[in-house]
Each structure stands twice: as C-alpha cells, then as structure tokens.
Amino acid sequence: MSGRIYNFSAGPGVMPVPVLERAAAEMLSWQGRGLSVMEMSHRGAEFIDIAQRAEASLRALMGIPDPYRVLFLQGGATLQFAMVPLNLRAAGASADYVLTGQWSAKAIEEARRGGAVRVVASGEAARYTAIPPRDQWDCDPSAAYLHYTSNETIGGVQFADVPDSGAVPLVCDMSSDILSKPIDVSRFGLIYAGAQKNIGPAGLTVVIVREDLLGRAPAGTAAMLDYKVQAASGSMYNTPPTWAIYVAGLVFDWIAGQGGLAAMLRLNREKADVLYAALDATEFYRCPVSTADRSLMNVPFTLRDAALDARFLAGAEAAGLAQLQGHRSVGGMRASLYNAMPIKGVRALVDYMREFERTHG
Ligand SMILES: *Cc1c(COP(=O)(O)O)cnc(C)c1O
C-alpha cells in the first residue's frame, strides 16, 4: 500500500496492512449488515460470534489448554499490575517479583501498595542490560506467585526461556512479546498483555488465567477487578472494547495465515539478527544489552556521538523510518520489531544506518 511508513514505535505499534485493509473495507458495513462492528450491541449475536471467534483463534494460535480462561479486559497492562496481587495474593501472603527493568519496576511498585513483595532478583546493578541468571534467584517456595516481565520494552532485555517456578504459580507480563513466538501456556498460572504492542488496538488487555486461580479475590473486591466475575460473564460484565476485540481477531487470523507462532519466531529472529549484526559490525552504533538477553522485539541502541541523535532521527523520518527515538527515560534510539514489521523495513533501517555512518562517521 502506498504512503505507508515503516513504523518502529514501541507502542501503539505497527499493524499488519491486510488487517487494516480488511477493517477499512468492513468499516461502513460489516459483512453486508449495513453497520460497523463499532456500532453493534455487544450482546447481539453478531458481536458475540466475533468475540468467540477471536478467543478461539487465540486459543488455537497459542495452544491454550482447556483449564485456562481467556479474558478480554480494559485498563491496560497497568491495571493488571494491581489486579494480579489483588486477586492472587491472600491477606498476609507475599508475592515474588523479578526486577529486570522499568516495566517490572512498575509492577512491583503497584504490588507493594497492597501487601508484601519480595524482589527475588534484580538487574539494577547491571543497569538492566542483562537478566539475572535463574540459579541466582532467591525464591520463596510459599510465595503467592512469581511474577516476571518476559520482555522489557524499554530496556530491550527478553527472557529466552520460561523460568521455572516449581509449584508456585508463574505470572507473566507478556505485553510486548506475546504472539512473537510459541510458548507453553501450561507453565503459567496467569499471562497478561496490553494489546497495543503485538495484538491490536489499545484499549484491550488480554488475560489468560488458569481456572483454579479464579475466585481468590477478597470479599469487597470491586466486581470489575475480580477475575472470577469477568470470567463468569464472558468478559461482558460491562461493555467490552468491542472494536479492539474485533481487530485483534483479525490479527490472530492474519498470524495463523502466516504460519502461526513458529513462523512469527522465524521472521522475528531474522529481523533481529539483521539489526543486531549491523549494530555489532561498527563502533559507530552500540547496543548496551548483553548478547544472550537481547530482545527480538525492542532494540535499543546509541550513537557513539549523541550530538548526532537529532540529525539521525530527522534523516530517518525523512526516509520513512518513523518513531526511532528511544524512551524518554533512556534516550538514544529504539527500534521495535513487532510481528507486523516486515523484514524490508529492517533492511531499509540498516541501509539508512550505514549511509548515515558513511556520511557522519
Ligand atoms: C506497554 C507496556 C506496559 C503498559 O501497558 P499499558 O497498556 O499502557 O498499561 C506494561 N508492561 C509492558 C512490558 C509493556 O510493554
């Protein structure tokens, strides 16, 4: 499609063009019904079917086993920072957290509001450029759960494997790498993800929760914040984010059509390899993250001479390479390579980087 830029935004992120085209084609009249999905009753047969199909597609893609419920909620991953401890940590109990960067830090900060938190491992001393090895974690076998962030969107560190939590329920903030590779859902007690990185429009939050973890919220918990209430109402306790659920369903189908999560992983690995190889081939650019923990989704890098940052970004923008500025807290650059970023976009970025080095190095 003409006029499209390569969008390296960390979130809301790039969407697959065929999904946007389909949503556009169906905007005025979904499947000939004379109205858009946005205008449908969430209790009507048409929308219930759209939501059920979206859930079925997600279950098929991720291989979600039967005793897990899929919830389509709102409030972002940030509300899950509060809902997880509220629902899963009983009064007086403590929860374990792995601190690997700014998002896990926010999850910890929120969990501390309501009760006891133990930080079992921290990457702070290494300025969050590496993930503390699993064998050095100081885990509590009686913790209510063990929480980690599979991909730190800002720092660009990612867990290559699912960590072992023994009998303690494993909880994961998967906001920025869900659907980027196959994962074994049965290893988790609960997975949550804001949609706007790899799933679809902002406003939808996906929660995948093992059934036995429902019904643990304390008496007096607001209904909207109780996983059990949300599960019992099929995520329709109130009006769900209907349009976002519909578009997410289109994204799930698009991923399936590309060959599913194994195909996503192959593509994501290829894209990341191209960019990291370019970064490692020169002193002009630098990625601060330890090789083993580098993210396939978010690649932070700096220029040797930070005085060139503004010129780099302006030139990139002019070349149709958008939103490469690093997070405001860390500066430098960050290229996000979510599922919908084509390999051509990464090659265009690398070509631009080489040319910029040739003219400014
Ligand atoms: C973006 C992000 C969040 C915050 O998501 P919101 O939907 O804005 O609440 C939390 N965790 C991670 C890993 C993220 O990438």
Side-chain angles (χ1 to χ4, degrees):
M1 187 179 178
S2 64
R4 292 277 297 174
I5 53 166
Y6 290 121
N7 176 11
F8 293 94
S9 169
V14 56
M15 292 280 294
V17 169
V19 168
L20 298 177
E21 287 174 339
R22 170 97 182 261
E26 294 182 338
M27 183 64 86
L28 292 182
S29 180
W30 178 81
Q31 305 206 347
R33 307 297 165 91
L35 81 174
S36 72
V37 175
M38 234 181 275
E39 301 163 290
M40 286 176 188
S41 165
H42 61 292
R43 311 250 178 233
E46 280 125 343
F47 183 75
I48 300 238
D49 188 54
I50 288 170
Q52 284 175 349
R53 280 172 193 272
E55 175 176 340
S57 301
L58 181 64
R59 282 185 173 275
L61 269 184
M62 294 183 72
I64 300 174
D66 271 346
Y68 284 79
R69 304 296 296 267
V70 173
L71 308 179
F72 293 140
L73 307 182
Q74 301 185 62
T78 304
L79 186 57
Q80 294 310 307
F81 294 166
M83 276 178 75
V84 165
L86 183 63
N87 281 268
L88 304 188
R89 181 183 56 191
S94 168
D96 279 356
Y97 279 73
V98 188
L99 175 55
T100 49
Q102 295 196 34
W103 285 118
S104 46
K106 278 200 104 171
I108 290 166
E109 188 186 325
E110 192 66 20
R112 280 195 170 128
R113 289 171 181 268
V117 166
R118 288 175 70 258
V119 175
V120 300
S122 169
E124 193 179 3
R127 300 175 75 206
Y128 302 123
T129 56
I131 291 177
R134 174 67 187 88
D135 57 7
Q136 291 169 19
W137 298 5
D138 172 29
C139 291
D140 172 3
S142 63
Y145 57 86
L146 170 65
H147 178 284
Y148 79 109
T149 306
S150 53
N151 182 67
E152 287 281 359
T153 321
I154 296 171
V157 296
Q158 182 178 29
F159 283 75
D161 302 302
V162 177
D164 182 25
S165 66
V168 171
L170 186 61
V171 174
C172 183
D173 176 0
M174 226 173 259
S175 292
S176 52
D177 68 352
I178 192 167
L179 303 181
S180 69
K181 58 181 177 181
I183 54 140
D184 179 358
V185 174
S186 72
R187 299 279 306 276
F188 296 87
L190 186 148
I191 293 167
Y192 63 92
Q196 69 273 20
K197 280 56 181 260
N198 234 356
I199 294 178
L204 168 66
T205 311
V206 173
V207 173
I208 301 164
V209 56
R210 214 173 59 209
E211 240 157 23
D212 63 285
L213 297 174
L214 300 173
R216 298 186 178 194
T221 298
M224 280 292 285
L225 302 182
D226 186 336
Y227 291 131
K228 187 175 182 195
V229 172
Q230 294 285 5
S233 61
S235 306
M236 296 210 191
Y237 183 75
N238 75 329
T239 315
T242 51
W243 199 74
I245 292 169
Y246 151 71
V247 176
L250 298 182
V251 171
F252 301 151
D253 293 343
W254 174 78
I255 294 172
Q258 302 294 298
L261 300 188
M264 287 297 114
L265 175 58
R266 271 197 305 280
L267 175 65
N268 288 327
R269 211 174 249 149
E270 188 186 355
K271 289 184 292 182
D273 283 350
V274 166
L275 182 50
Y276 285 118
L279 290 167
D280 289 342
T282 167
E283 306 275 290
F284 188 79
Y285 299 105
R286 184 171 172 273
C287 172
V289 180
S290 83
T291 313
D293 302 320
R294 286 176 169 182
S295 170
L296 301 190
M297 294 283 101
N298 311 96
V299 182
F301 63 95
T302 53
L303 273 56
R304 185 172 53 200
D305 178 3
L308 291 173
D309 283 5
R311 209 177 301 168
F312 178 91
L313 287 168
E317 203 72 48
L321 307 165
Q323 310 236 31
L324 284 163
Q325 67 278 19
H327 190 267
R328 60 187 186 276
S329 64
V330 292
M333 312 300 155
R334 173 176 48 170
S336 296
L337 312 179
Y338 297 125
N339 285 347
M341 170 58 64
I343 181 84
K344 273 172 64 182
V346 182
R347 294 201 196 285
L349 171 60
V350 166
D351 287 346
Y352 169 75
M353 289 167 64
R354 292 207 177 109
E355 181 61 14
F356 188 85
E357 178 179 358
R358 196 182 64 76
T359 49
H360 297 82

